[in-house]
Amino acid sequence: MGCCGSAERTKREWRPLEDRSCTDLPWFLLFTVFCAGMGSICGFTIVTGGAARLVFGYDSYGNTCGQRNEQIEGVRLSGLDHTDRKFVFFLDPCNIDIVQRKIKSMALCVSLCPTEELKTYQDLRRFAMLNGSELCSYELAGHKYPGLPERFEKCPKLPVPPSKPLPVFNRCTPVDVSCYAKFAEAVVTFVGDNSVLHRLIAGVAASKEIIIGLCVLALVLSMILMVIIRYISAVLVWILTSLVVLGSLAGTGVLWWLYIDHQLYGNNTSSKTQKEVKEEVEVSRDSGQALLVYAVAATVFTVILLLLMLFMRKRVALTIALFHVAGKVFIHLPLLTLQPFVTFLALLLFWIYWILVLLFLGTTGNPVQNEETGLTEFRLTGPLQYLTWYHAVGLVWISEFILACQQMTVAGAVVTYYFTRDKNRLPVTPILSSVLRLVRYHLGTVAKGSFIITLVKIPRLILMYIHNQLKGKENACARCLLKTCICCLWCLEKCLNYLNQNAYAATAINSTSFCTSARDAFVILVENALRVATINAIGDFVLFLGKILIVTSTAFAGVLLLNYQRDYAEWLLPLIIVCLFSFLVAHCFLSIFEIVVDVLFLCFAIDTKYNDGTPGKEFFMDKALMEFVESSRRLERAVERGRCRVKEAVSEGAEMKPMAAGTSSA
């Protein structure tokens, strides 16, 4: 038996796009059950009133605003009819718990939010008499507010700021948010001066049209770069290679020059005492040894680098050819450029749903009185408290599932392009065909691959949370151990991501299960380890240069457009927003390009392994890759001819020795 129960075969028979069958069906069923559990959590919060309490709000006695409530055992003033009281009013809206990120003040259900500032208790009484909205606790009569001794604890803190209800959530929110300055200061810690913050915000407000325009520019530049990168990749690769080699040679030369200069002129000890001379000689000897070690190490590094460049120059040419073909893929499959939008939209919708359900969970459960404040809160108790953990795991797994669907969709489209000999006979919409194959056959494979990433990501996130919570409390050894574990898990996650991506491509080619595809892809990658290293190293750096090009171009355009603002401090936040957005957009688009290059390489490696160009075993590859293969074959034939000549020369020399010996004996 093979991996995870797959049948072991002595030799893999790659049959691109020929047979289709469902893969990893049990994992699809498991993922379906898990998603049903996620939906059940949402249904539970709605049925038990958590969703209603979040949307309509509830007071400090457990009553939901805007509806008739049932009595809660042990909680006074619960079970009130709040049909006419639809808004939540906080007695002290500025009393915010920054750590827990919530308002600690008593909350009441009122029929109307105060739209004007109320400075005295007489104003409170007048507001209650005129509008029928009592802003003090329910047991206090509105016409007696000024003379009641409980008014200092159960009435709002004076002066009451004017407020207006939030749309949908029905909370009375102060019009002037200056009372939230402490909270804002805790959030925006990099700004110490309110005037600076106001100027930055004013700069964003004044430049919003420019910011939107620059974001669109970054989007357009990213899409253009994906198409034209095949024309500039060769230049970028060879410039990069030349700079690395020249930099290594220059660094090595400088270190040797410093060492020689130190040996020649570093021992000048005239006009100094014997003790000073002795100390300087020791320091000079140590410095000379250090420089020698540095120079030798740099020399070894440079020699190794030059040898690598010499032996890997063909593989650099393969990287350039793959970039060239990847550019053609985007011309034939233009809908690939929409993949980042579709994935981002799917992630955004899921994250909005996840956050809403998380908020529902925060207002779901049994009513519990807070011992510190005496207010009634709703908390999950017993086994129900694990619903939040289940919900958190769902965030990671489903997010990874959506990203894996993108990888499988792109891989399926690229595989269809590569293994279709006549590009004019491509499906009308290869992307849509790939999506349909994914939904019909391979959702289980995607669910299994994303679950493996989840198993690694969750422990890393837990360790990161523990590290942040213990910051400043743990010793140096524990801190180093935590960081090491986090780093190792991060590296493992990146390796598994790369293997998963190639496993999805193998599934798209052969319609095999995840474990079988991962094993087959791993074997192919190991057989082409040097090529993989070259493509990843040089290709990733070229794509990184592309990201930097987009960010700098967008930032330069931003500087030109923002030049009319003479207050240069107002440039800061708009430029930061534009640069971050442009880098995010460039990363999303060029990540698709990177996936295309990786899938093309796997297809190329399979093509060259099982086909040789002879009748019946014709190559599937593009003309650019065919030229690379032909040049490699010519080079191999030239090397083989050279070896044959050397062998012939050696054999002729061996034959002439006996002849010479026979002549001398005669």
Side-chain angles (χ1 to χ4, degrees), residues 20 74 188 453 567 611 629:
R20 287 288 128 189
V188 191
I453 299 298
D567 188 354
N611 298 312
V629 172

Side-chain angles (χ1 to χ4, degrees), residues 60-61 75-76 106 368-377:
S60 298
Y61 305 107
V75 179
R76 66 184 187 88
M106 177 185 288
V368 178
Q369 277 196 318
N370 191 314
E371 296 180 357
E372 180 183 351
T373 61
L375 307 180
T376 301
E377 300 175 353

Side-chain angles (χ1 to χ4, degrees), residues 543-586:
L543 294 178
F544 174 75
L545 291 180
K547 297 174 187 178
I548 298 300
L549 175 64
I550 292 172
V551 172
T552 52
S553 301
T554 308
F556 179 71
V559 170
L560 294 180
L561 294 174
L562 292 170
N563 190 41
Y564 73 92
Q565 295 182 3
R566 294 307 174 189
D567 188 354
Y568 297 113
E570 296 181 2
W571 289 20
L572 179 62
L573 198 53
L575 281 179
I576 290 177
I577 293 173
V578 167
C579 290
L580 289 177
F581 182 83
S582 60
F583 183 82
L584 177 64
V585 169

Side-chain angles (χ1 to χ4, degrees), residues 228-253:
I228 68 170
I229 196 170
R230 66 181 178 132
Y231 300 110
I232 62 175
S233 58
V235 177
L236 289 177
V237 168
W238 290 118
I239 288 177
L240 166 64
T241 305
S242 303
L243 288 177
V244 170
V245 171
L246 292 176
S248 301
L249 291 173
T252 304

Side-chain angles (χ1 to χ4, degrees), residues 80 134 306 338 381 571 586:
L80 301 179
E134 298 177 347
L306 291 175
L338 299 180
T381 56
W571 289 20

Side-chain angles (χ1 to χ4, degrees), residues 96-169:
I96 298 173
D97 186 349
I98 294 177
V99 177
Q100 299 295 329
R101 295 175 295 278
K102 64 180 182 180
I103 298 175
K104 297 172 64 176
S105 166
M106 177 185 288
L108 300 173
C109 294
V110 298
S111 57
L112 187 66
C113 299
T115 56
E116 298 179 356
E117 186 179 30
L118 306 178
K119 299 180 180 180
T120 64
Y121 292 104
Q122 285 79 8
D123 293 339
L124 288 177
R125 180 181 62 182
R126 185 174 65 254
F127 182 79
M129 294 295 99
L130 293 176
N131 302 292
S133 182
E134 298 177 347
L135 303 183
C136 295
S137 187
Y138 305 129
E139 71 269 25
L140 304 183
H143 64 280
K144 296 181 180 180
Y145 285 169
L148 292 174
E150 300 94 337
R151 65 183 184 277
F152 299 107
E153 298 177 358
K154 298 184 178 181
C155 285
K157 182 180 179 181
L158 298 178
V160 179
S163 59
K164 60 181 179 180
L166 278 177
V168 181
F169 291 100

Side-chain angles (χ1 to χ4, degrees), residues 58 88-93 103-108 156 171-172:
Y58 64 96
V88 180
F89 175 76
F90 297 98
L91 301 189
D92 185 8
I103 298 175
K104 297 172 64 176
S105 166
M106 177 185 288
L108 300 173
R171 268 69 168 180
C172 294

